[in-house]
């Protein structure tokens, strides 16, 4: 046995194992295997199949778990649907009491859950004990509060119904809490599928639900593999899918849910930058890197896996980092002195190794410390790769392991460019003692979460989620709760959508609209980059009124016109950087000019749609008011400072998506156009609008207002033509960050499928009463923005 005086000289760690006797005994009680948790009890799988769950640290078998089928999913959804009828009718206070009970029972079982998580997943007990499980309880406490307050804080909203939730293996119980807590608080019921590698804490949570007295069927857990998840995604009784996992699977789910009407939130992959400026506290930055990339073995979607360091301090930082890596301990996850535990599976271990080999083959310098490694189990040495090119495989692909790749930069602008040089946008970390620089860089990085002089901070009060191919939607905070609610608009708009018009480029034989004999023929062009433009196709089509008269011609836009519009929008990026006050003034100016030309727009509506003089005047007046409404809201769609547990000012900022596509409805062709364009402009987006194909001329008249209202070139482009085809082109374009489709034939299904390329959020639907108050307001502004949470430390 080592003597204390010798230990004080060497400062070596001795073994400090965590007992797992209680978990072994619990697993022994389930020696025959775990069934699915459906309708408040464990049930046998429909076909009796099961699979083995193993400990990645030693390969030992832990349990056998039911392999779910479509029949199992069907039973669970049916149970959740039955429970929803009563659960959704409970008062917020009654649901709050249930969530509070779950939080308390989790705390009473915290050590049990922490040890089970480390055995099942391979993460160090220090992390599961001190981070994961306390955050699990925090989420249930926080959302108990939301359940209590939801009726007063979110009026006009209602629960979605049955929510299907699919979680990954890197934070099994924490991801469960992120999803189940807000769903229950909002009044929904749940069918959850845990990852096949790590289902055991979810099954333990099922027992806690029963122990805490949660009503039967409110939470259902079906275990299984990918086919089980696919059955849940495709089930017609599920109203909402929440998925955390890989971007590739996220695309599959986006396509599978397209056109189904299901709400969807995706929290996907990342390749997060960790930016270190030359004035940073380097010792703190090194410790931050340990937490950024070696926390949870690097199996973290927001891991700071790309180190971007200012050129002048790069070698100094690398030296400090290599020295720190020599002190890391890789080993038994149940040892309290372990820093890096086991990778979740042999498949993941092999993938990490192959990517590191690929990086070395592409020219990177690979450093791994000379530290002891366990003789067996899924362990990988902490790795630093320097001399990495920005376009190399290891710099662009999510490795999801304890591997850090490093690059250098010279200026803040170059740092931002490198940080944004990725298809992902989940998180970032900025290290500098200059708070002005830190906030400037944080605002310019395209990521849903930015930590300043910190990393991997999470809290139930702050939303978490990504931009671009890191998914859409948020988990946590007020913004996360909206994912489990839908606006209660009452009855849908009356009427039946007319059949799509046939856009014929041949000369029309229809009778011309009556005009004075000395009128000069006017050509309605596309509007791209602040200029009128002829369609690339060279074709126009006749716009025919319900009376069968030709009201004019409009251009038949094509893919090249959409590309030109996107390029023009990309050059107008300063619009989002303008102050909200300045955007408001321009919107007021548009309303002023529309008011001055109200008679002209009324006449246009009458000639196109056959509307009465009164109805046309009403639509124009409503369009003026709606423009005024969003001008007034431009500087009032505020963010928030979240009340997180740690000492941070956590800024929730509503940021524009960037370039948005808008497909406008036939109903109320002017008011529908204005109702989509104005909130997106107020929020700071640039837009490509596709007007009603049947009645486009009000929109082509509108660009004259844009020309005279100081709207910068490229902020609004208008492309006329066949709406469904143009909508699909917008959906397929990777630079279009979000799409609203209220005009395509057959609903939003085709564009939701096409949007899977860059995983842009899509919003739209059937007919609306565009004159209704429900067709304006915060819902439109919320869907025109994405929340970025910036964590700013304070104090010493």
């Amino acid at each position: 046995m080592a003597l204390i005086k010798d230990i004080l000289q060497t400062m070596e760690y001795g073994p400090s194992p965590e007992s797992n006797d209680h978990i072994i005994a619990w697993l022994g009680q389930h020696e025959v295997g775990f069934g699915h948790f459906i309708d408040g009890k464990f049930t046998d799988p429909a076909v009796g199949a099961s699979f083995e769950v193993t400990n990645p640290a030693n390969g030992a078998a832990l349990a056998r778990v039911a392999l779910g089928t479509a029949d199992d999913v069907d039973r669970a959804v049916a149970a959740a649907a039955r429970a929803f009828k009563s659960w959704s009718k409970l008062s917020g206070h009654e649901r709050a009491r249930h969530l509070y009970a779950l939080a308390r029972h989790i705390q009473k079982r915290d050590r049990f859950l922490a040890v089970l998580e480390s055995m099942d997943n391979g993460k160090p007990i220090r992390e599961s004990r001190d981070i994961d499980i306390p955050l699990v309880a925090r989420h249930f406490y926080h959302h108990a509060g939301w359940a209590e307050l939801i009726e007063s804080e979110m009026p006009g909203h209602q629960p979605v119904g049955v929510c299907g939730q699919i979680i990954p293996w890197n934070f099994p119980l924490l991801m469960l809490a992120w999803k189940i807590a807000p769903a229950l608080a909002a009044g929904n019921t749940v069918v959850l599928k845990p990852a096949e590698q790590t289902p055991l804490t979810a099954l333990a949570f099922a027992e806690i639900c029963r122990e805490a007295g949660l009503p039967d069927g409110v939470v259902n857990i079906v275990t299984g593999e990918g086919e089980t998840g696919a059955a849940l995604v495709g089930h017609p009784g599920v109203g909402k899918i929440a998925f955390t996992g890989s971007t590739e699977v996220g695309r599959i789910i986006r396509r599978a849910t397209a056109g189904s009407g299901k709400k969807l939130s995706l929290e996907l992959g990342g390749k997060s930058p960790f930016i270190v400026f030359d004035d940073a506290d380097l010792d703190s930055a090194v410790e931050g890197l340990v937490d950024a990339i070696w926390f949870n073995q690097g199996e973290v979607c927001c891991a700071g896996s790309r180190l971007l360091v200012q050129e002048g301090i790069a070698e100094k930082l690398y030296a400090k980092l290599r020295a720190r890596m020599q002190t890391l301990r890789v080993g038994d996850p149940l040892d309290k002195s372990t820093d890096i535990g086991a990778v979740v599976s042999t498949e993941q271990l092999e993938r990490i190794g192959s990517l590191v080999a690929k990086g070395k083959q592409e020219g990177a310098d690979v450093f791994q410390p000379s530290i002891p490694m366990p003789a067996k189990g899924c362990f990988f040495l902490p790795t630093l790769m320097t001399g990495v090119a920005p376009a190399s495989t290891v710099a662009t692909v999510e490795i999801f392991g304890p591997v850090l790749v490093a690059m250098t930069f010279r200026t803040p602008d170059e740092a931002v460019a490198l940080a944004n040089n990725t298809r992902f946008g989940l998180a970032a970390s900025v290290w500098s003692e200059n708070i002005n620089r830190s906030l400037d860089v944080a605002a310019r990085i395209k990521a849903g979460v930015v930590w300043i002089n910190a990393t991997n901070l999470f809290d139930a009060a702050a939303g978490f989620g990504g931009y671009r191919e890191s998914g859409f939607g948020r988990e946590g905070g007020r913004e996360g709760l909206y994912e489990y609610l839908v606006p209660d608009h009452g009855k849908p708009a009356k009427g039946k959508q007319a059949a799509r018009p046939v856009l014929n480029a041949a000369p029309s034989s229809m009778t011309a609209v009556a005009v004075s004999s000395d009128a000069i023929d006017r050509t309605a062009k596309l509007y791209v980059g602040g200029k009128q433009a002829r369609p690339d196709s060279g074709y126009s089509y006749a716009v025919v009124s319900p009376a069968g008269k030709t009201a004019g011609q409009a251009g038949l836009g094509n893919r090249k016109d959409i590309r030109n519009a996107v390029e023009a929008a990309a050059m107008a990026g300063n619009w989002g950087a303008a102050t909200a006050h300045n955007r408001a003034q321009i919107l007021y100016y548009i309303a002023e000019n529309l008011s001055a030309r109200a008679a002209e727009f009324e006449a246009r509506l009458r000639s196109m749609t056959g509307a009465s003089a009164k109805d046309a005047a009403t639509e124009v007046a409503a369009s003026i008011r709606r423009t005024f409404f969003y001008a007034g809201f431009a500087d009032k769609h505020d963010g928030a400072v979240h009340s997180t547990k740690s000492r941070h000012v956590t800024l929730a900022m509503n940021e524009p998506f960037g370039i948005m596509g808008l497909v406008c409805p036939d109903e109320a062709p002017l008011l529908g156009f204005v109702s989509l364009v104005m909130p997106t402009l107020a929020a700071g987006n640039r837009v490509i609008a596709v007007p009603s194909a049947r009645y486009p001329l009000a929109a082509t008249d509108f660009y004259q207002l844009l020309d005279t209202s100081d709207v910068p070139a490229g902020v609004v482009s208008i492309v006329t033509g066949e709406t469904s085809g143009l909508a699909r082109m917008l959906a397929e374009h990777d630079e279009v960050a979000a799409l609203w489709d209220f005009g395509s034939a057959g609903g939003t299904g085709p564009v939701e499928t096409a949007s899977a390329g860059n995983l842009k959020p899509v919003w739209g639907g059937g007919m609306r009463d565009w004159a209704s108050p429900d067709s304006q307001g915060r819902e439109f502004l919320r869907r025109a923005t994405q929340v970025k949470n910036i964590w700013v430390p304070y104090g010493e």
Side-chain angles (χ1 to χ4, degrees):
M1 178 181 291
L3 298 176
I4 292 176
K5 66 181 181 66
D6 297 327
I7 294 173
L8 289 174
Q9 291 295 320
T10 63
M11 296 303 289
E12 290 182 356
Y13 290 96
S16 113
E18 175 75 36
S19 172
N20 63 355
D21 294 346
H22 294 289
I23 284 72
I24 297 297
W26 178 74
L27 292 172
Q29 295 169 13
H30 296 278
E31 189 174 4
V32 297
F34 289 89
H36 306 300
F37 184 70
I38 297 174
D39 208 13
K41 53 185 174 293
F42 284 94
T43 64
D44 293 332
V47 297
S50 64
F51 61 94
E52 189 174 71
V53 179
T54 60
N55 184 335
N58 54 28
L62 296 175
R64 294 202 68 82
V65 174
L67 180 62
T69 65
D71 288 340
D72 297 314
V73 170
D74 193 54
R75 287 190 296 127
V77 172
R82 289 192 300 271
F84 177 73
K85 295 175 183 178
S86 55
W87 178 256
S88 61
K89 289 182 172 58
L90 292 179
S91 69
H93 174 69
E94 289 173 297
R95 290 199 299 271
R97 290 168 70 111
H98 281 293
L99 269 76
Y100 180 79
L102 287 172
R104 295 293 288 165
H105 278 263
I106 288 165
Q107 286 187 314
K108 293 170 188 176
R109 301 278 184 262
D110 58 355
R111 187 56 65 95
F112 177 91
L113 293 169
V115 176
L116 178 60
E117 193 81 304
S118 289
M119 292 174 65
D120 199 17
N121 168 272
K123 66 176 62 192
I125 185 65
R126 285 190 298 120
E127 294 176 6
S128 55
R129 179 196 66 199
D130 298 341
I131 299 173
D132 290 30
I133 307 307
L135 270 174
V136 171
R138 163 73 172 150
H139 272 268
F140 281 98
Y141 277 127
H142 179 79
H143 287 94
W146 273 124
E148 185 76 39
L149 302 173
I150 198 168
E151 293 163 0
S152 60
E153 288 296 303
M154 295 180 176
H157 288 78
Q158 61 188 22
V160 178
V162 177
C163 297
Q165 303 179 324
I166 303 171
I167 59 173
W169 43 257
N170 56 338
F171 291 92
L173 193 59
L174 182 55
M175 294 296 99
L176 175 150
W178 279 22
K179 289 177 168 52
I180 287 182
L184 268 53
N188 302 283
T189 54
V190 166
V191 178
L192 178 134
K193 190 202 89 70
E196 59 266 32
Q197 296 90 343
T198 55
L200 297 183
T201 46
L203 295 167
F205 176 79
E207 293 187 342
I208 288 174
C209 288
R210 194 164 54 183
E211 180 182 65
L214 192 70
D216 293 348
V218 172
V219 169
N220 305 273
I221 296 174
V222 179
T223 54
E225 299 178 343
E227 293 79 4
T228 314
L232 183 57
V233 168
H235 198 287
V238 172
K240 149 88 179 177
I241 293 293
F243 171 76
T244 297
S246 71
T247 296
E248 291 71 21
V249 176
R251 285 197 180 91
I252 294 170
I253 292 174
R254 167 73 284 181
R255 295 186 182 104
T257 58
S260 67
K262 291 182 172 73
K263 285 199 75 173
L264 178 64
S265 55
L266 300 172
E267 195 266 281
L268 307 175
K271 195 70 177 176
S272 300
F274 189 105
I275 305 171
V276 183
F277 286 96
D278 56 8
D279 64 343
D281 180 338
L282 296 190
D283 291 327
S284 295
V286 167
E287 292 307 309
L289 279 164
V290 171
D291 290 337
I293 188 59
W294 294 307
F295 167 63
N296 204 46
Q297 300 76 249
E299 296 171 325
V300 184
C301 51
C302 57
S305 55
R306 286 189 299 146
L307 171 60
L308 309 179
V309 55
Q310 201 151 19
E311 194 173 76
I313 59 164
E315 291 305 322
K316 184 177 181 181
L317 181 65
Y318 295 161
K320 286 178 174 287
L321 189 56
R322 292 185 184 106
R324 181 66 176 89
M325 291 169 71
Q326 290 289 162
T327 68
L328 295 174
R329 292 169 59 89
V330 180
D332 181 6
L334 292 184
D335 190 321
K336 300 183 191 71
S337 300
T338 293
D339 296 308
I340 301 175
V343 173
V344 74
S345 66
T346 55
E347 292 82 6
Q348 184 64 14
L349 185 68
E350 290 167 2
R351 182 179 184 275
I352 295 167
S354 66
L355 284 168
V356 169
K358 178 73 170 176
K360 190 172 183 179
Q361 180 185 346
E362 292 179 352
D365 297 319
V366 178
F367 171 81
Q368 293 177 321
S370 301
I371 55 179
M373 287 284 284
K376 63 177 182 177
C378 300
F379 294 93
F380 196 89
L381 278 168
T383 303
L384 170 64
M385 306 180 77
T386 55
V388 175
S392 68
T393 301
V394 292
T396 57
V397 171
E398 185 179 32
I399 298 173
F400 223 63
V403 179
L404 178 65
V405 301
M407 291 162 275
T408 61
F409 65 88
R410 293 183 178 179
T411 67
D413 286 346
E414 187 180 357
V416 171
L418 284 170
N420 291 334
N421 182 39
T422 175
R423 59 195 176 96
F424 300 111
L426 190 53
S429 186
V430 179
W431 292 74
S432 171
E433 293 298 291
N434 184 330
I435 190 64
N436 294 328
R437 173 192 285 166
S438 298
L439 289 174
D440 174 61
V441 169
R444 293 160 63 193
I445 292 174
K446 294 178 180 177
V449 182
V450 181
W451 299 290
I452 293 177
N453 292 332
T455 190
N456 279 342
L457 297 174
F458 310 101
D459 189 72
F464 183 86
Y467 290 12
R468 301 190 290 194
E469 292 184 36
S470 288
F472 50 80
R474 294 293 181 265
E475 294 186 295
R478 182 184 293 265
E479 55 265 41
L481 195 59
Y482 276 115
E483 301 296 331
Y484 291 93
L485 295 165
V486 291
D488 182 7
H489 290 323
K491 295 180 180 179
K494 294 182 179 180
K496 183 179 180 181
Q497 284 187 319
R500 295 285 104 181
V502 177
L503 307 187
N504 191 344
S508 174
S509 60
M510 301 292 182
T511 305
V513 143
V515 292
S516 61
S517 59
D518 58 348
I520 298 175
D521 183 75
R522 180 174 162 202
T523 303
K525 298 185 178 71
L526 312 185
Y527 187 68
V528 176
K531 298 177 182 179
Q532 299 180 41
R534 295 185 183 278
D536 177 72
S537 68
Y539 289 107
S540 295
Y541 70 96
V543 178
V544 181
S545 74
K549 298 194 178 214
T550 301
Q553 283 80 36
L556 276 170
N558 63 15
R559 191 175 298 275
K560 180 65 163 58
D561 297 311
I562 293 293
R563 288 205 304 267
N564 291 342
V566 172
E567 288 176 8
M571 296 174 66
N574 287 337
W575 177 254
T579 67
H581 170 77
N582 286 347
R583 292 198 298 271
Q585 296 307 299
I586 289 175
L587 265 63
Y588 279 127
Y589 200 4
I590 293 172
E592 177 186 330
N593 286 329
L594 178 56
S595 178
R597 296 177 60 178
E600 178 184 336
F601 278 87
E602 291 168 18
R604 177 64 83 183
L605 289 174
R606 293 198 304 274
S607 71
M608 278 195 310
T609 68
S612 68
K614 179 181 178 181
D615 287 346
T618 298
E619 183 171 344
V620 173
S623 300
I624 295 167
R625 288 196 303 273
R626 191 138 295 166
T627 305
F628 249 72
F629 177 87
Y630 286 113
F633 237 130
D635 58 358
K636 299 173 186 66
H637 183 46
D638 298 326
V641 176
H642 285 315
S643 297
T644 52
K645 285 182 66 178
S646 58
R647 286 175 58 85
H648 284 79
V649 177
T650 307
L651 304 172
M653 302 177 64
N654 294 316
E655 289 196 341
F657 280 99
I659 301 174
M660 290 184 63
L662 308 176
V663 184
C664 303
D666 286 342
E667 309 85 42
L670 176 62
L671 180 56
F673 174 86
V674 166
S675 297
L676 299 186
V677 170
M678 294 308 155
T680 51
L681 293 186
N685 297 285
R686 294 93 74 195
V687 304
I688 295 111
V690 177
S692 160
R694 185 181 299 278
Y695 307 125
L697 300 180
T700 57
D701 290 346
F702 202 88
Y703 61 58
Q704 294 184 345
L705 299 183
L706 302 176
D707 281 339
T708 57
S709 302
D710 294 339
V711 178
V715 170
V716 178
S717 292
I718 300 170
V719 180
T720 57
E722 200 279 310
T723 49
S724 296
L726 294 173
R728 187 175 63 254
M729 295 169 198
L730 287 167
E732 291 170 347
H733 201 298
D734 283 349
E735 294 304 311
V736 176
L739 178 62
W740 294 358
D741 185 358
F742 287 90
S744 289
T748 59
V751 295
E752 287 175 344
T753 300
S755 74
N758 72 341
L759 288 165
K760 60 174 66 69
V762 174
W763 182 47
M767 293 179 63
R768 272 181 177 255
D769 177 2
W770 291 100
S772 166
D774 290 334
S775 292
Q776 69 176 26
R778 287 190 178 274
E779 181 186 13
F780 284 76
L781 291 164
R782 187 169 59 82
R783 291 183 180 273
T785 53
Q786 47 195 344
V787 178
K788 173 188 283 185
N789 280 278
I790 301 177
W791 295 63
V792 185
Y794 63 90
E796 293 293 333

